């Protein structure tokens, strides 16, 4: 180990470089990333706005069209400054491969939905300008950490997409992301006891100890504090009290406290991969997990992770709902022909969100197979809200989480919808900012907007505030 040496180059971008294929170079008459992405995104934007006009989904006036162009140009400039243009085209090319090979991808999730460029490149199917999503939630000039992009793929296509990336960039540049399993409180005590070779009778007392330990989600003290204080608790059994206080077990307890939280085993991230500009070992160390080479760092959100090395992770998430939609479209094509298939496919991609029948069906409880809306709890919330428009569906999705439900935000939302006079604001300036959510602060974008309007912060600074509040 002492002969090994690796100089970690921190906070220097090591994003994958886009390598255009001949058809792309011929079409755009260029081979540099900046020219290609500018021409491609503006052409796609024009195409999408024409679909809006054709289907009368959004009234696109010259002034509104200019808003889209200005927003796209702003995003392109920020993304160029962050040296992420190549990354976007790498992802676009993967989406393009999926389209060419009949692999369904999702509409988008996470902060990438706030990027108009993502929509223009078909990385997402969400028009951030139409739905009031802020690009700064995804990326902004003040933000130091760069985000990765999460994409949903239909199940069963992992091998195809991974092989495409292998062929394009080489196996030495495309690697699954490692995960580290650690010694938790209960498992650590058992492992130490087993490693020290104690007999089965002794181990049974250890199992009694771990059985009385709090569940992982309920730890509010350290393991060391629990070991010291639990014997004085009236709920502590005689067996466990004797074991914890027996001097013979001091070595086991000492080793357990030392080992707790240390890495126990390596695994492979279910969706995450990294693509590096050169051989991966030039950018970071690697590990071996079950005979497979994986990244040496994981994406954990702390100082020692992939992002600190300037490496971005691409998440290829699996979503069965996409398989269901694809099968439904296939059956329509088989039974009703190409013309009907293309009409329905466009209707799926550009669904009319003002169609009241959508909300009638959901209020009736016909939510089976609707991603994130098919649970009984969500069904009850939709009925309670009496959902009538798309914005209320979005709110329901944000409200149906442990945090908001725990403080009764969903009940406040319902009460304020049917009794607007019950809305209470900490400051009158908040009224127009929270009007669309019945006076309840629901979305992170709202927090950014409040910081902007009341605190005088830029949206980028508001996002930094949001991140600090997230902890």
């Amino acid at each position: 180990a002492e002969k090994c040496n690796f100089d970690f180059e921190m906070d220097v971008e090591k994003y994958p470089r886009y390598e255009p294929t001949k058809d792309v170079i011929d079409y755009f008459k260029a081979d540099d990333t900046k020219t290609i992405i500018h021409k491609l995104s503006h052409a796609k934007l024009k195409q999408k706005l024409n679909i809006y006009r054709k289907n009368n989904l959004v009234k696109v006036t010259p002034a509104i069209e200019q808003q889209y162009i200005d927003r796209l140009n702003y995003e392109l400039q920020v993304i160029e400054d962050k040296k992420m243009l190549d990354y976007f085209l790498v992802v676009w090319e993967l989406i393009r491969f999926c389209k060419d090979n009949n692999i369904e991808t999702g509409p988008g999730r996470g902060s990438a939905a706030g990027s108009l460029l993502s929509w223009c490149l078909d990385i997402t199917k969400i028009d951030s300008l139409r739905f009031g999503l802020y690009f700064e939630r995804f990326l902004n000039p003040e933000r130091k950490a760069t985000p990765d992009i999460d994409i949903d793929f239909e199940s069963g296509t992992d091998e195809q997409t991974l092989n495409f990336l292998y062929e394009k960039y080489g196996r030495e540049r495309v690697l699954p992301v490692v995960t580290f399993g650690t010694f938790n409180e209960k498992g650590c005590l058992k492992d130490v006891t087993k490693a020290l070779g104690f007999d089965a009778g002794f181990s049974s007392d250890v199992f009694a100890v771990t059985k009385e330990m709090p569940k992982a989600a309920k730890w509010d003290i350290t393991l060391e504090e629990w070991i010291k204080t639990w014997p004085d608790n009236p709920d502590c059994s005689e067996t466990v009290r004797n074991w914890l206080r027996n001097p013979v077990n001091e070595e086991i307890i000492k080793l357990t406290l030392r080992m707790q939280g240390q890495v126990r085993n390596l695994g492979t991230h279910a969706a995450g991969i990294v693509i590096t500009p050169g051989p991966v070992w030039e950018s970071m160390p690697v590990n071996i997990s079950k005979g497979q080479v994986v990244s040496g760092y994981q994406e954990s959100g702390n100082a020692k992770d992939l992002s600190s090395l300037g490496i971005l992770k691409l998440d290829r998430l699996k979503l069965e709902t996409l398989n269901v939609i694809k099968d439904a479209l296939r059956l329509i094509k088989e039974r009703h022909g190409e013309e009907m298939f293309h009409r329905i496919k466009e209707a799926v991609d550009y669904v009319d969100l003002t169609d009241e029948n959508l909300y009638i069906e959901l209020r009736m409880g016909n939510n089976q197979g609707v991603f994130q809306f098919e649970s009984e709890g969500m069904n009850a919330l939709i009925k309670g809200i009496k959902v009538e428009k798309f914005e209320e569906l979005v709110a329901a999705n944000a409200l149906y989480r442990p945090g908001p439900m725990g403080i009764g935000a969903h009940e406040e939302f319902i009460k304020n919808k049917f009794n607007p006079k019950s809305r209470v604001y900490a400051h009158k300036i908040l009224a127009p900012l929270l009007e669309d959510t019945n006076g309840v602060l629901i979305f992170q974008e709202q927090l950014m907007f409040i910081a902007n309007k009341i605190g005088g912060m830029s949206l980028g600074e508001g996002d930094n505030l949001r991140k600090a509040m997230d902890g």
Side-chain angles (χ1 to χ4, degrees), residues 157-168:
T157 60
D158 267 10
E159 192 173 342
Q160 283 176 271
T161 54
L162 200 54
N163 283 338
F164 165 74
L165 294 172
Y166 283 153
E167 289 175 18
K168 175 77 181 183

Side-chain angles (χ1 to χ4, degrees), residues 217-431:
K218 295 182 179 179
W219 279 93
D220 53 7
I221 59 172
T222 65
L223 176 61
E224 186 174 11
E225 289 171 330
W226 182 85
I227 288 171
K228 288 179 179 177
T229 60
W230 183 246
D232 297 323
N233 192 304
D235 292 330
C236 180
S237 67
E238 193 66 27
T239 300
V240 172
R241 184 177 293 110
N242 291 338
W243 194 95
L244 292 174
R245 286 179 170 170
N246 190 338
V248 174
N249 300 325
E250 284 182 5
E251 183 67 13
I252 296 176
I253 292 172
K254 180 183 174 183
L255 287 171
T256 298
L257 293 174
R258 279 186 62 188
M259 295 295 293
Q260 184 211 350
Q262 300 296 319
V263 174
R264 185 180 189 275
N265 60 280
L266 303 181
T268 304
H269 195 285
I273 58 168
V274 293
I275 307 171
T276 50
V280 68
W281 45 83
E282 293 179 358
S283 300
M284 65 173 169
V286 295
N287 272 311
I288 305 291
S289 174
K290 298 178 181 176
Q292 182 180 29
V293 180
V294 295
S295 69
Y297 271 18
Q298 65 180 352
E299 185 63 64
S300 58
N302 62 38
K304 293 183 177 181
D305 58 16
L306 289 171
S307 59
S308 67
L309 289 175
I311 294 171
L312 287 177
K313 174 170 62 74
L314 173 64
D315 270 349
R316 301 172 306 121
L317 306 164
K318 294 175 275 292
L319 187 60
E320 286 284 350
T321 307
L322 292 172
N323 298 63
V324 175
I325 293 171
K326 181 179 178 179
D327 287 342
L329 288 168
R330 176 181 56 80
L331 291 170
I332 289 169
K333 188 174 183 178
E334 289 175 3
R335 296 176 186 180
H336 301 284
E338 287 276 351
E339 185 180 344
M340 179 63 76
F341 165 76
H342 288 296
R343 276 173 53 195
I344 297 294
K345 178 118 179 37
E346 189 169 286
V348 169
D349 291 339
Y350 293 89
V351 63
D352 181 5
L353 298 174
T354 63
D355 185 352
E356 65 178 12
N357 291 312
L358 292 173
Y359 310 107
I360 291 171
E361 290 290 327
L362 287 170
R363 291 199 301 270
M364 290 170 61
N366 294 331
N367 58 347
Q368 295 80 11
V370 181
F371 182 57
Q372 292 190 337
F373 287 90
E374 55 188 337
S375 70
E376 288 185 19
M378 178 61 88
N379 193 13
L381 181 58
I382 287 172
K383 288 180 178 178
I385 293 173
K386 292 186 170 59
V387 167
E388 300 170 284
K389 54 186 179 180
F390 179 68
E391 289 76 11
E392 289 179 338
L393 271 185
V394 178
N397 200 22
L399 286 166
Y400 192 66
R401 300 172 191 273
M405 299 279 277
I407 62 171
H410 61 304
E411 295 167 345
E412 188 78 6
F413 183 89
I414 294 169
K415 181 187 75 174
N416 290 350
K417 175 182 177 178
F418 299 107
N419 184 16
K421 292 181 180 178
S422 66
R423 299 178 187 181
V424 178
Y425 298 101
H427 193 286
K428 61 182 180 181
I429 297 177
L430 293 173

